[in-house]
Amino acid sequence: MSSSPNSPSSKVLVVDDSITITRLISSVLEKAGYQVQSALSGEEGLEAMERTRPDIVLCDIIMPGLDGYEFCRRVKQGKGTRDIPVILLTSKTDPEDKVKGLEIGAADYVTKPFDAGELRARVDLQYRLQVLQGELKERNRELDGIRLELVEKVEALSEANQHLADLEEKRRKALKMAYKVQLGLLPASEPEIGGFQFSSRFIPADDIAGDFYDFIPLARGRWGICIGDVAGKGLPASLLMVLTKTLLRTESLRECRPAEVLENVNRQIITHYGSEEAVTLFYGILDPSDNSFTYSNGGHEFPIIQSHNGRGCAELGAGGTFLGIFPDATFNEARVYLNAQDLLFCYTDGLYDLPVDGSVIRDEVRLQELMAAAGEPHKSSLIEKLVLSLADRRPGADDVTLISMTCLRSGPADQMGFIRIHNRPANLKEVRDFTKQIARQLTMSEQDAFDLVYAVDEAAANSVIHAYGPGGAGFIEIAFQVDRVAGQLSAQVVDHGVGLSKEVRSKTAAALDEDRLAASGR
């Protein structure tokens, strides 16, 4: 496949029973440099794919005979076509219709009537993703070739016991090359964002590592910030790190919510790498226009916010499980608003092995104690202190990656935070933890904090139990605002379900309440 969307080798197949639509799409894509072939039915589309293998397929959902869902299913079942991305064309706007297409393997949707610019952008995105995946596979093949070469030479060495020094030098050169490849994928510098100051460190334990981080410029002046850690060490971890970081950057540019980005990256890791290794990943979006930071966590160490006014530290815990193992994993997300001199600190678990003031950090409790002891965030030299301690860490310790972000300007006076969870009882713990964080920010008394957490928990639990019905899927959203003049805090709990009838509610509430209490540990 060519590396440019305008290459004459970039072929698109359009399957739609409307001649007008196929001509319109052909006109848009041919102007963009694509070769376009059309088919007026699903059956004709399958025949066309047997004759010529397109790079991308656009297919209408509603067609006589073989509809778009069945067409997509057959494409994904074909040995020679399963990797071809299928973009579904639809006038349907129901999320369940879109989820159905994604579950059978569709790569994206374009809603009719479509905008020509959006159509081309989505086709270009799928094409670029294929190009990136091809480049990644090629790079992985190169690294695998290096690894196999080293293995063969080491085995030969054990038999002959000759030229050990030369082979060791060649091995180190190969690992050095792999390390250079890895460094080339990491940010060259911290971003320059008005009102914010960044610092970062990446220290591998060996020649190559599984840690990674990134700063990703997004639309409307926003920035994506991520940090992750691949299980294991050496070349396998490095290869999975390359794949994960590439997929993350691609998905973040699709303008998805942080939770959706993690869900999409998780599915693609399993598709391209298999369910063999775990990846922890934290991803957030900073919007400097209102000092908001919206985030989701895939099993990573909880980042810590150190408050500007001495109210201590709080963890950003909303999210879900690690990536790379469970294909249907879902993630919660939350939003906080930063104020002047607030410090956000992200790290990988290798930090726990660092010795500070005579003992290793060991866990997040000790880390928060060190952050509090360092004083006000803008005067803190904690990262410099941690970097100095790297020289004394024990042999075999893990990679260490650190990111700090300091806010230098005041945030909105009324906005406190927001959390969005899937309607499952187990997720109520994240609601309680987030509400406790809000209470801590407002320096509430112990009794007032307890009352706030209890009230929000009851309202959220009511939505979880009653909003969507047994087996129904949806979201519960809780937003916190404060009226500082009146001295009032409001918490708005919103769901989008239709609720249950009185008869059904009485039969389901007891069972769901039991699940909720078990999940809360009360």
Side-chain angles (χ1 to χ4, degrees):
M1 180 182 292
S2 169
S3 62
S4 169
N6 296 317
S7 167
S9 65
S10 308
K11 295 176 290 186
V12 177
L13 173 62
V14 180
V15 184
D16 196 303
D17 62 341
S18 170
I19 296 177
T20 301
I21 294 296
T22 57
R23 287 178 177 174
L24 179 58
I25 294 175
S26 297
S27 175
V28 171
L29 296 182
E30 286 173 353
K31 288 179 181 178
Y34 290 95
Q35 295 183 40
V36 182
Q37 182 181 2
S38 61
L40 298 179
S41 68
E43 294 82 355
E44 185 178 337
L46 293 176
E47 293 175 359
M49 294 190 70
E50 291 179 0
R51 294 192 303 269
T52 175
R53 186 182 187 277
D55 298 314
I56 300 170
V57 177
L58 284 86
C59 178
D60 190 16
I61 289 181
I62 302 176
M63 295 184 296
L66 194 68
D67 66 9
Y69 291 135
E70 182 60 26
F71 174 84
C72 180
R73 184 179 290 108
R74 294 191 186 183
V75 170
K76 292 305 171 182
Q77 289 174 348
K79 184 176 181 180
T81 60
R82 65 185 58 167
D83 293 330
I84 299 175
V86 177
I87 301 175
L88 294 177
L89 305 169
T90 180
S91 58
K92 296 184 177 182
T93 58
D94 192 331
E96 291 183 0
D97 294 320
K98 295 185 177 182
V99 169
K100 179 179 179 181
L102 295 175
E103 286 177 346
I104 63 177
D108 205 347
Y109 269 87
V110 174
T111 303
K112 297 191 296 186
F114 58 83
D115 176 80
E118 180 188 5
L119 175 67
R120 176 180 173 183
R122 290 184 181 274
V123 172
D124 285 350
L125 175 64
Q126 292 302 321
Y127 182 78
R128 287 197 299 270
L129 181 59
Q130 282 199 304
V131 171
L132 286 172
Q133 291 172 351
E135 292 174 351
L136 177 61
K137 289 179 180 178
E138 181 60 30
R139 185 167 292 177
N140 287 346
R141 283 195 292 269
E142 292 176 358
L143 290 175
D144 279 341
I146 294 170
R147 181 183 62 83
L148 290 173
E149 180 183 1
L150 289 173
V151 169
E152 292 172 358
K153 290 186 176 180
V154 169
E155 290 176 348
L157 179 63
S158 64
E159 296 174 0
N161 197 24
Q162 297 176 355
H163 311 299
L164 178 61
D166 292 341
L167 288 176
E168 178 63 17
E169 181 63 22
K170 289 182 179 181
R171 186 188 72 85
R172 289 197 169 275
K173 286 182 178 180
L175 291 176
K176 185 177 181 180
M177 183 179 72
Y179 180 57
K180 287 182 177 180
V181 171
Q182 186 176 46
L183 285 183
L185 293 173
L186 297 177
S189 61
E190 290 85 13
E192 295 183 2
I193 306 174
F196 293 85
Q197 185 176 27
F198 288 83
S199 179
S200 62
R201 297 290 189 278
F202 169 70
I203 306 98
D206 207 338
D207 293 322
I208 51 180
D211 282 9
F212 62 95
Y213 70 102
D214 204 357
F215 304 110
I216 308 168
L218 305 175
R220 302 186 299 281
R222 300 172 305 148
W223 282 81
I225 300 170
C226 78
I227 185 170
D229 186 2
V230 176
K233 298 180 181 179
L235 278 171
S238 177
L239 294 174
L240 185 51
M241 168 269 187
V242 172
L243 173 65
T244 304
K245 185 176 180 300
T246 301
L247 291 173
L248 174 68
R249 179 167 278 258
T250 300
E251 289 298 325
S252 65
L253 295 177
R254 292 162 59 102
E255 298 297 309
C256 296
R257 295 184 294 103
E260 292 176 321
V261 168
L262 295 189
E263 289 166 5
N264 294 340
V265 171
N266 177 59
R267 283 193 295 267
Q268 294 196 56
I269 288 174
I270 294 173
T271 298
H272 299 293
Y273 197 86
S275 302
E276 297 179 359
E277 299 292 347
V279 180
T280 67
L281 180 59
F282 175 86
Y283 175 67
I285 297 177
L286 173 67
D287 189 342
S289 68
D290 61 359
N291 283 18
S292 67
F293 186 67
T294 308
Y295 62 90
S296 188
N297 195 333
H300 196 74
E301 301 301 317
F302 296 157
I304 297 172
I305 284 187
Q306 184 179 11
S307 179
H308 67 291
N309 58 5
R311 290 191 294 256
C313 301
E315 295 180 336
L316 302 185
T321 187
F322 38 75
L323 282 64
I325 302 297
F326 308 108
D328 298 324
T330 58
F331 300 87
N332 304 320
E333 70 180 30
R335 179 183 302 140
V336 294
Y337 291 87
L338 304 175
N339 279 295
Q341 305 309 328
D342 282 353
L343 172 71
L344 174 66
F345 184 59
C346 306
Y347 60 97
T348 57
D349 61 1
L351 173 140
Y352 295 144
D353 292 324
L354 298 185
V356 176
D357 297 337
S359 62
V360 296
I361 295 177
R362 189 179 58 256
D363 56 31
E364 67 277 3
V365 176
R366 170 66 172 156
L367 175 60
Q368 292 187 38
E369 291 175 352
L370 289 172
M371 293 181 69
E376 298 179 25
H378 65 286
K379 296 180 181 179
S380 173
S381 58
L382 178 61
I383 285 189
E384 286 71 19
K385 192 172 186 178
L386 293 173
V387 171
L388 290 175
S389 70
L390 287 168
D392 299 324
R393 63 177 172 172
R394 60 181 175 79
D398 203 356
D399 313 316
V400 179
T401 301
L402 312 173
I403 300 175
S404 72
M405 176 179 70
T406 304
C407 180
L408 304 178
R409 62 187 183 191
S410 298
D414 59 337
Q415 298 292 338
M416 294 299 297
F418 171 92
I419 185 168
R420 178 188 178 105
I421 65 167
H422 291 264
N423 65 314
R424 290 194 289 270
N427 289 332
L428 290 171
K429 182 181 184 304
E430 291 196 3
V431 173
R432 293 191 291 272
D433 290 344
F434 191 79
T435 307
K436 291 176 185 177
Q437 176 184 328
I438 297 296
R440 188 182 300 112
Q441 286 181 261
L442 295 172
T443 61
M444 285 184 169
S445 68
E446 183 175 343
Q447 183 60 50
D448 287 345
F450 176 84
D451 292 342
L452 174 65
V453 173
Y454 182 82
V456 172
D457 183 37
E458 287 300 306
N462 182 65
S463 289
V464 168
I465 294 170
H466 300 304
Y468 296 97
F475 295 98
I476 313 299
E477 300 170 343
I478 303 100
F480 296 86
Q481 290 184 304
V482 64
D483 184 339
R484 299 186 186 276
V485 175
Q488 293 180 337
L489 171 70
S490 65
Q492 184 180 37
V493 180
V494 177
D495 62 64
H496 303 282
V498 297
L500 301 175
S501 67
K502 184 179 295 184
E503 293 77 13
V504 175
R505 188 183 304 122
S506 65
K507 294 178 181 178
T508 59
L512 290 172
D513 274 330
E514 184 178 347
D515 289 345
R516 169 178 160 270
L517 292 174
S520 68
R522 294 187 291 168

